[in-house]
Amino acid sequence: MRGLLASSIGVTCAAALTLPLTLPTAAHAAKPAAQESAVPGTTQSLPLTPLATPGDSTRSAAPQQQRQEQGLPRRDVRPFSLVGVVWDNPNAQLHGQVQVRTRTTGTSTWSTWQDVETHSDDAPDPDTAEHTSSTVRGATAPLWVGDSDGVEVRVKAEAPPAGSRAADPGTEPLPKGLRLELVDPGAEPAAGAEADSPRATLSAETAAASAVNADLAPLGAAAIPALTKKETEDELISARGGDADATKARPYVGPRPRIITRKGWGADEKLRERQFGYTKTVKAAFVHHSASGNNYRCSQAPSVIRSIYRYHVKSSGWRDIGYNFLVDKCGNIYEGRAGGVTKPVMGAHTLGFNTNSTGIAVLGTFGSSNPPAAAVNAIARLTAWKLGLYGANPRGTTYLKSGGGNLYKKGKNVRLKVISGHRDGFATECPGRRLYKKLGTARSSSARLQGR
């Protein structure tokens, strides 16, 4: 970690985020297994059309029908594991209900209708190059459905409130350009992916994403190893130039947890924007749920993350996966957006508050389901370390300047808890009622791990 904070504190995101956003438009061919640990996935993008309703046999009904309900009739498709719906205008909201049902690959078994969360509040900050890029689209949350080869979807606009006047002409109940996105995450990382990869087998993009963590693990490592509290403190003191009287200089920082790297979960580094984007510091951590459902095994977590990554970049048009870190139901911690796990990487997780913060997403949906204790513990361990690198007290509060959102106008200095839920910065259900209730436990545990 020598020179670690010196190289990251004070670096602004301006240079990196004003670069043109260049996202590939075609799926990449799979590389030989010797070169990458996972086979890159694919995305199918299917336009939604007005759904026929009983008794609707005239073409004259189509315009109104298109305003109210669109979808895709049941059909066979190439294999996929994650679904979402996108639309043209990233600033438009989908006021309605999105439901899908899917067929398990190689069977005739169809699921029941499943709701897809329609929020679009995990997003880059307004006025940033990432948000204003012509590639960015509005999007629902992604939903993990497992290996599937059949799909049906329906999107229905909300009925206007009783007694309200009809919508103004030209106002569409459903946003324009609705498309169903079907994501195949590609093959699972090869057996033995925990082993470090030889430098010669790494692509340039994979090497670059790994090199920013070179002080923590060998180039191409699948995981950054855990350290004890003393080892973590000693490295942080060393990074700050050392201190003859270490007993007076011991920092409040938790032991570094084990973190599975992007190489470890099989990121296709050719998908993301090549440059890394940084903010100035890390004053707060926002906790999210991915809203992608709880029907995954922990062994499938890398596939879920690769799917979310592809959905954020290829479907939503972002420069990289939006979250800085992800946590699965077994408490495993994963590196998210590229740029270095110790550095103040600018994420796209909390619309209006991505500057000077970090975003942690727990894989799952926790509105009515309790988050596993292992996941809550992982939040505590991760924040004790990450916030400790920047001198932040997990039990404390801080001020962040709003970049604009639906709770706070742009430019307002907002007092927030150092460990906040997504809903504290934006009017949303995220991170789910049940996970939000556990943040007090996470704060106390995190502070205790820091030695406070």
Side-chain angles (χ1 to χ4, degrees), residues 87-340:
W87 53 92
D88 294 342
N89 184 355
N91 298 314
Q93 298 294 315
L94 196 164
H95 298 291
Q97 183 181 44
V98 178
Q99 293 184 308
V100 300
R101 56 183 174 188
T102 56
R103 185 186 61 210
T104 303
T105 298
T107 74
S108 59
T109 304
W110 285 81
S111 71
T112 58
W113 285 106
Q114 299 182 75
D115 290 318
V116 178
E117 192 167 313
T118 59
H119 75 79
S120 56
D121 43 337
D122 294 347
D125 280 348
D127 300 329
T128 61
E130 185 174 10
H131 184 93
T132 58
S133 166
S134 61
T135 66
V136 175
R137 306 174 187 90
T140 68
L143 177 68
W144 176 262
V145 295
D147 294 337
S148 305
D149 61 8
V151 68
E152 183 177 6
V153 63
R154 58 192 185 194
V155 181
K156 189 172 184 179
E158 289 179 352
S164 66
R165 301 181 63 181
D168 295 334
T171 300
E172 297 294 335
L174 295 177
K176 294 181 179 179
L178 290 172
R179 301 183 70 86
L180 177 67
E181 302 287 293
L182 304 176
V183 180
D184 170 17
E188 293 283 355
E194 287 296 311
D196 298 342
S197 298
R199 183 185 187 109
T201 68
L202 300 178
S203 68
E205 294 83 3
T206 300
S210 182
V212 287
N213 294 316
D215 288 336
L216 312 179
L219 191 70
I224 294 167
L227 296 180
T228 66
K229 180 170 173 58
K230 184 178 186 304
E231 289 170 337
T232 305
E233 291 172 349
D234 288 346
E235 286 211 351
L236 186 54
I237 290 169
S238 176
R240 292 174 176 174
D243 193 303
D245 188 357
T247 59
K248 294 182 180 179
R250 305 310 287 183
Y252 288 112
V253 62
R256 186 178 79 197
R258 178 178 179 273
I259 301 172
I260 298 169
T261 64
R262 291 171 64 92
K263 178 68 169 57
W265 54 260
D268 178 1
E269 298 295 354
K270 289 185 179 295
L271 290 181
R272 63 172 173 81
E273 163 64 36
R274 181 167 293 188
Q275 301 297 322
F276 305 133
Y278 299 102
T279 182
K280 291 182 179 179
T281 186
V282 177
K283 299 169 67 177
F286 285 99
V287 177
H288 304 251
H289 66 176
S290 64
S292 52
N294 303 320
N295 297 322
Y296 70 94
R297 301 184 303 276
C298 290
S299 61
Q300 293 177 306
S303 289
V304 177
I305 296 171
R306 289 199 306 277
S307 297
I308 294 173
Y309 171 44
R310 176 169 280 272
Y311 185 73
H312 281 178
V313 176
K314 297 289 287 183
S315 302
S316 302
W318 300 354
R319 71 199 317 268
D320 195 349
I321 192 169
Y323 309 115
N324 297 100
F325 298 93
L326 302 100
V327 172
D328 69 23
K329 63 174 70 174
C330 292
N332 297 304
I333 299 170
Y334 302 83
E335 177 185 16
R337 180 163 287 206

